[in-house]
């Protein structure tokens, strides 16, 4: 049974989320402040974290950064949950590397669908599967990426984007297809974050940044060798 940690200070909302996820067959852990939430995530290592941003003790962004710094939770999927409906807040959350972002009030059914989509993607590659292309090497089992044999630290979003393009070398990938490959759907907010993720990927690729080409009016591609 997959375990989901809910870090939410409003207990009625945490209970509502927990009720719906338990009914769908998930095991639930709860924390009502940021300090306890970060500790519980690191020590219990759930399959996914639903993280409110406005938390007492330590805010959600601080908790998220702590999880990404710790090897035990670096690749744990995170859905950010907040009352902040402004587009810029959603962009900030997605650009920070969150797997998804929901604003309150939300539909429990919508949250469940997003949880299922993320966990399905996380479990989509059983066994050690390696993809190699030029200087790139991916291990799909543990989400590790190597450049000229040296490990490069990519966020899960960066890893999925680069892998999706690398598995289709030389073929321009439409922006919407890229977005759906990572988040399962496409909208304006996610589209605005795509360019930021590509910019960061190019920075991490260093001398191999030219491996990612912008295809004007379409999207991006990884060059074929």
């Amino acid at each position: 049974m997959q375990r989901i940690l809910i870090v939410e200070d409003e207990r009625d909302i945490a209970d509502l989320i927990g009720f719906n996820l338990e009914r769908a067959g998930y095991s639930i852990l709860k924390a009502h402040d940021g300090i306890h939430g970060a500790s519980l995530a690191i020590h219990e290592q759930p399959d996914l974290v639903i993280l409110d941003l406005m938390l007492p003790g330590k805010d959600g962004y601080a908790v998220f950064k702590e999880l990404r710094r710790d090897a035990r939770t670096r690749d744990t999927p995170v859905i950010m949950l907040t009352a902040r409906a402004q587009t810029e807040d959603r962009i900030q959350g997605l650009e920070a590397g969150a797997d998804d972002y929901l604003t309150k009030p939300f539909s429990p059914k919508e949250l469940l669908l997003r949880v299922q989509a993320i966990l399905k993607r996380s479990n989509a590659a059983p066994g050690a599967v390696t993809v190699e292309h030029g200087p790139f090497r991916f291990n799909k089992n543990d989400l590790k990426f190597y450049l000229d044999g040296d490990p490069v630290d990519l966020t899960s979003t960066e890893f999925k984007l680069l892998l999706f393009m690398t598995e289709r070398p030389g073929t321009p990938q439409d922006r919407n297809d890229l977005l759906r490959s990572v988040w399962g759907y496409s909208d304006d907010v996610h589209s605005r974050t795509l360019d930021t993720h590509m910019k960061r990927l190019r920075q991490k690729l260093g001398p191999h940044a030219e491996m990612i080409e912008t295809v004007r009016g379409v999207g991006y591609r990884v060059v074929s060798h």
Side-chain angles (χ1 to χ4, degrees):
M1 184 181 291
Q2 291 175 303
R3 296 190 303 161
I4 298 175
L5 170 62
I6 302 165
V7 188
E8 167 62 70
D9 62 319
E10 296 184 60
R11 292 174 185 264
D12 55 340
I13 293 178
D15 290 344
L16 175 66
I17 296 170
F19 171 77
N20 281 278
L21 291 176
E22 284 180 330
R23 193 168 63 172
Y26 297 103
S27 176
I28 300 302
L29 301 165
K30 294 178 189 174
H32 301 297
D33 65 74
I35 295 171
H36 184 214
S39 175
L40 203 57
I42 289 169
H43 291 100
E44 294 292 336
Q45 298 172 46
D47 296 287
L48 182 142
V49 176
I50 296 173
L51 177 64
D52 185 42
L53 294 183
M54 302 291 285
L55 292 168
K58 180 181 290 187
D59 72 33
Y61 283 118
V63 173
F64 181 77
K65 289 176 182 176
E66 185 173 344
L67 299 187
R68 287 298 177 258
R69 283 195 301 266
D70 194 293
R72 292 167 290 183
T73 52
R74 183 175 298 144
D75 300 318
T76 302
V78 174
I79 297 177
M80 289 185 175
L81 194 64
T82 182
R84 297 172 176 171
Q86 290 87 353
T87 298
E88 294 305 319
D89 287 316
R90 295 180 64 196
I91 289 173
Q92 182 182 354
L94 292 166
E95 288 185 349
D99 293 85
D100 214 332
Y101 191 110
L102 262 179
T103 55
K104 303 173 186 175
F106 59 89
S107 158
K109 183 178 179 181
E110 182 181 7
L111 176 60
L112 176 60
L113 289 172
R114 296 196 187 191
V115 165
Q116 291 171 333
I118 289 170
L119 290 175
K120 183 179 179 181
R121 293 197 302 273
S122 297
N123 298 323
V129 180
T130 300
V131 174
E132 296 190 35
H133 176 71
F136 297 171
R137 179 161 60 89
F138 301 81
N139 187 317
K140 295 164 76 173
N141 189 45
D142 56 10
L143 297 183
K144 300 296 183 187
F145 172 71
Y146 301 87
L147 186 64
D148 288 327
D150 296 321
V152 176
D153 188 23
L154 300 183
T155 67
S156 60
T157 299
E158 291 166 347
F159 183 93
K160 292 168 190 172
L161 281 171
L162 188 57
L163 176 63
F164 184 83
M165 293 188 295
T166 301
E167 289 181 323
R168 299 155 180 83
T171 304
Q173 299 303 316
D174 180 84
R175 296 176 66 87
N176 290 326
D177 290 339
L178 286 167
L179 292 166
R180 280 190 286 266
S181 77
V182 176
W183 289 291
Y185 58 93
S186 170
D187 61 29
D188 289 341
V189 171
H190 289 77
S191 182
R192 288 176 61 181
T193 71
L194 181 61
D195 299 318
T196 300
H197 286 301
M198 291 299 179
K199 180 180 178 181
R200 290 182 181 172
L201 270 172
R202 284 171 167 150
Q203 290 171 343
K204 292 182 178 183
L205 294 178
H208 296 295
E210 73 281 355
M211 290 282 291
I212 298 177
E213 289 186 343
T214 301
V215 183
R216 194 173 301 277
V218 180
Y220 295 90
R221 70 179 167 199
V222 163
V223 299
S224 57
H225 271 251

